[in-house]
Amino acid sequence: PVDLSIGGDAQASLPSLSEEVRRAMSAGRRSQIADREKGLREAYVNMQAQARKRATYGWNSSPISTARLTMEVWQQIKEHDWSLVSRGLGGWPQRLWKMNKHYHHIGFSGGGGVGYGLPASVGAALANREHGRLTVSFQSDGDFNYAPGVLWTAAHHGIPLLSVMHNNRAYHQEVMHLQRIATRRQRGADGPAKIGNVFEDPFIDYATLAKSMGWWSTGPISDPADLAPALKRAIDVVSQGEPALVDVVSQPR
């Protein structure tokens, strides 16, 4: 148990608390931490360099690579006061974006529940609205299908949100799991894995669905060269206080 428990706001109190801890440190302890910090900074720089190199693989591919999609969004939002409110794209934003404010990434459900992302993103966008932040969400298609009605809620209440579809046309995590199991049991990887887990015949047009509920939308986009102009237009709409969706046909991971 703690000796003294004091309730407080982390954003307001942590800088002052950190400074007090630094003042209380001995010179030897400060030197020790400085050496460790140097090593961590070098490791971080090397990690970023490796991530940028990996991000170039399949840069011009169609369907669009998740790394390319991540960086195209970053190029459009980096001059704004932005907030990422979804998990998104296999961790590429966390590896490639500069995140130095507490609201740059608010985390995710933690339980991996499908259907959390879209309603949670709208709720976070509502919280960000009074601060004038550009709220960004990478929205997976399977998650979207659970509660699409929340789109109407966002349009009705004028909740500004940039929703970028990670439209890989499947519950891909389930597809991968079933492929592993089918291979292990020598049943053939493709057939069983697709049953009930892929969105084809017909493909789902998320842009049209969003438009039917009052959103500005565009897509589906499968050529990476078309991303930048679509994202710019979407951000203009969101900056005016309305939600916008960009449907992107993307690689599975």
Side-chain angles (χ1 to χ4, degrees):
V2 297
D3 294 321
L4 182 62
S5 179
I6 303 174
D9 178 81
Q11 182 182 358
S13 60
L14 194 56
S16 297
L17 181 60
S18 298
E19 185 57 35
E20 288 299 322
V21 170
R22 290 190 192 97
R23 275 201 286 264
M25 283 183 189
S26 66
R29 181 61 173 160
R30 283 195 294 269
S31 177
Q32 184 183 25
I33 290 176
D35 290 340
R36 187 172 64 183
E37 179 185 0
K38 180 181 178 182
L40 289 172
R41 287 185 180 277
E42 290 175 354
Y44 178 70
V45 169
N46 291 334
M47 181 191 71
Q48 280 198 313
Q50 292 173 7
R52 291 192 186 101
K53 181 179 179 180
R54 289 195 297 269
T56 63
Y57 302 154
W59 187 256
N60 294 315
S61 297
S62 178
I64 296 168
S65 75
T66 52
R68 174 75 182 265
L69 179 55
T70 299
M71 290 308 294
E72 290 287 352
V73 172
W74 171 246
Q75 289 302 315
Q76 302 305 322
I77 71 168
K78 63 183 181 180
E79 301 302 327
H80 294 263
D81 186 24
W82 56 272
S83 176
L84 179 64
V85 297
S86 64
R87 185 172 187 171
L89 301 185
W92 280 117
Q94 289 81 359
R95 293 195 294 272
L96 297 174
W97 293 7
K98 182 178 180 181
M99 297 184 177
N100 53 16
K101 295 180 180 178
H102 71 277
Y103 54 81
H104 276 168
H105 185 224
I106 69 167
F108 54 97
S109 68
V114 183
Y116 168 87
L118 185 56
S121 294
V122 171
L126 175 61
N128 279 331
R129 184 173 63 179
E130 66 178 286
H131 302 288
R133 295 171 188 150
L134 173 60
T135 305
V136 184
S137 174
F138 288 110
Q139 178 59 52
S140 59
D141 51 351
D143 180 277
F144 184 109
N145 292 342
Y146 272 66
V150 74
L151 295 176
W152 182 88
T153 302
H156 179 73
H157 292 286
I159 300 173
L161 167 64
L162 172 60
S163 185
V164 181
M165 290 298 302
H166 171 29
N167 183 2
N168 60 20
R169 293 174 167 169
Y171 292 114
H172 193 71
Q173 182 165 305
E174 285 70 22
V175 170
M176 291 190 300
H177 174 68
L178 289 172
Q179 285 174 334
R180 286 193 296 268
I181 298 301
T183 300
R184 185 182 304 167
R185 297 177 179 175
Q186 299 180 344
R187 293 177 178 174
D190 290 332
K194 289 185 176 181
I195 297 173
N197 288 316
V198 298
F199 310 134
E200 60 185 21
D201 192 24
F203 295 128
I204 300 173
D205 187 337
Y206 294 98
T208 297
L209 178 54
K211 192 174 297 182
S212 75
M213 296 199 191
W215 285 48
W216 181 93
S217 61
T218 188
I221 296 172
S222 56
D223 184 345
D226 295 333
L227 282 173
L231 290 166
K232 286 179 182 178
R233 179 71 185 100
I235 289 173
D236 287 342
V237 171
V238 176
S239 297
Q240 294 166 14
E242 300 296 330
L245 180 142
V246 179
D247 187 5
V248 181
V249 180
S250 52
Q251 294 182 6
R253 290 283 176 178

